[in-house]
Amino acid sequence: DARVTQTPRHKVTEMGQEVTMRCQPILGHNTVFWYRQTMMQGLELLAYFRNRAPLDDSGMPKDRFSAEMPDATLATLKIQPSEPRDSAVYFCASGLVGGTGNTIYFGEGSWLTVV
Amino acid sequence: LAKTTQPISMDSYEGQEVNITCSHNNIATNDYITWYQQFPSQGPRFIIQGYKTKVTNEVASLFIPADRKSSTLSLPRVSLSDTAVYYCLVGDGGAAGNKLTFGGGTRVLVKP
């Protein structure tokens, strides 16, 4: 059963530390999304890629966040330096977007706590 | 980008039908309407998608009027396990890029 895989599932880190979250999209999907979810802001789109090229990262704080797709099987979201306000669940999603519709599949999320 | 508006929350009882209406007045010609369900501590999960008229699958039905400015997700005979947040999304999925933005969603509570 194909699914999006995210690591780590849970991370507690100290303020100022670098955090890297990884995502393995479903094989064959051409679009990868990074979302952040908090109680206050809901689900926010941070960045997304199509065929590994970044299409939009306007939702991401540029000074500390970066997103990349080194290859078709790996997407990364990096926070450096991390701050307590970055505490959230970070979801990766992938889909075969570009044709008929918007079906995307989410991973189980990376639960980040910055203390 | 088409913006969506949904009720913040709805309560229901087991066995009842739940209907959630989403407004998307600025929907574009190429846009599809997609609904997702999210349980606590999980990522959103695709439920159903449609372009016009009615779509039905094993989980839900989606009703879309002719003007496509709104859509209604119908959950028949809900159970306690249908308690979740339901999101309506609108986007074209086309080559121009698809910024799939989630709104606030509708929190559905199913009571015994």
Side-chain angles (χ1 to χ4, degrees):
Chain A
D1 197 19
R3 57 178 179 162
V4 175
T5 304
Q6 291 186 245
T7 57
R9 289 295 318 281
H10 299 273
K11 175 79 173 179
V12 179
T13 191
E14 292 186 344
M15 183 173 63
Q17 295 298 305
E18 177 179 298
V19 175
T20 299
M21 289 166 275
R22 294 177 174 81
C23 168
Q24 181 176 2
I26 293 174
L27 188 64
H29 282 184
N30 64 353
T31 307
V32 175
F33 302 81
W34 281 106
Y35 290 91
R36 175 172 64 182
Q37 187 169 38
T38 62
M39 288 293 293
M40 296 301 295
Q41 299 296 327
L43 264 169
E44 302 174 272
L45 177 63
L46 297 176
Y48 73 108
F49 296 78
R50 173 137 329 145
N51 298 322
R52 293 179 54 202
L55 280 191
D56 193 311
D57 62 0
S58 59
M60 215 163 58
K62 299 292 190 304
D63 56 340
R64 298 182 300 108
F65 284 60
S66 61
E68 296 179 347
M69 276 202 77
D71 60 61
T73 65
L74 177 64
T76 62
L77 179 67
K78 187 178 295 186
I79 308 174
Q80 168 63 18
S82 58
E83 297 181 1
R85 59 180 168 152
D86 301 328
S87 297
V89 185
Y90 291 82
F91 288 107
C92 174
S94 73
L96 193 60
V97 180
T100 55
N102 313 304
T103 306
I104 62 175
Y105 299 86
F106 283 77
E108 295 187 335
S110 290
W111 298 68
L112 175 65
T113 302
V114 183
V115 297
Chain B
L1 296 168
K3 180 178 166 58
T4 60
T5 303
Q6 309 174 230
I8 292 174
S9 64
M10 298 178 72
D11 287 358
S12 183
Y13 290 91
E14 282 189 294
Q16 289 189 336
E17 179 181 81
V18 171
N19 296 306
I20 309 170
T21 296
C22 177
S23 297
H24 27 80
N25 291 318
N26 296 323
I27 190 168
T29 303
N30 294 332
D31 284 346
Y32 281 75
I33 301 153
T34 314
W35 285 81
Y36 286 80
Q37 174 191 55
Q38 185 178 26
F39 297 116
S41 304
Q42 294 184 24
R45 180 176 75 110
F46 169 85
I47 301 178
I48 197 166
Q49 177 171 270
Y51 183 79
K52 60 180 179 180
T53 64
K54 177 184 174 182
V55 179
T56 297
N57 61 21
E58 65 278 6
V59 176
S61 293
L62 179 59
F63 299 91
I64 305 169
D67 66 5
R68 304 199 328 123
K69 293 184 183 300
S70 67
S71 59
T72 299
L73 175 72
S74 180
L75 305 172
R77 298 180 298 282
V78 294
S79 63
L80 297 177
S81 63
D82 292 315
T83 293
V85 179
Y86 294 82
Y87 297 94
C88 164
L89 269 75
V90 172
D92 67 6
N98 194 348
K99 195 170 181 176
L100 292 181
T101 303
F102 286 74
T106 298
R107 191 172 300 272
V108 172
L109 174 62
V110 180
K111 303 175 184 176

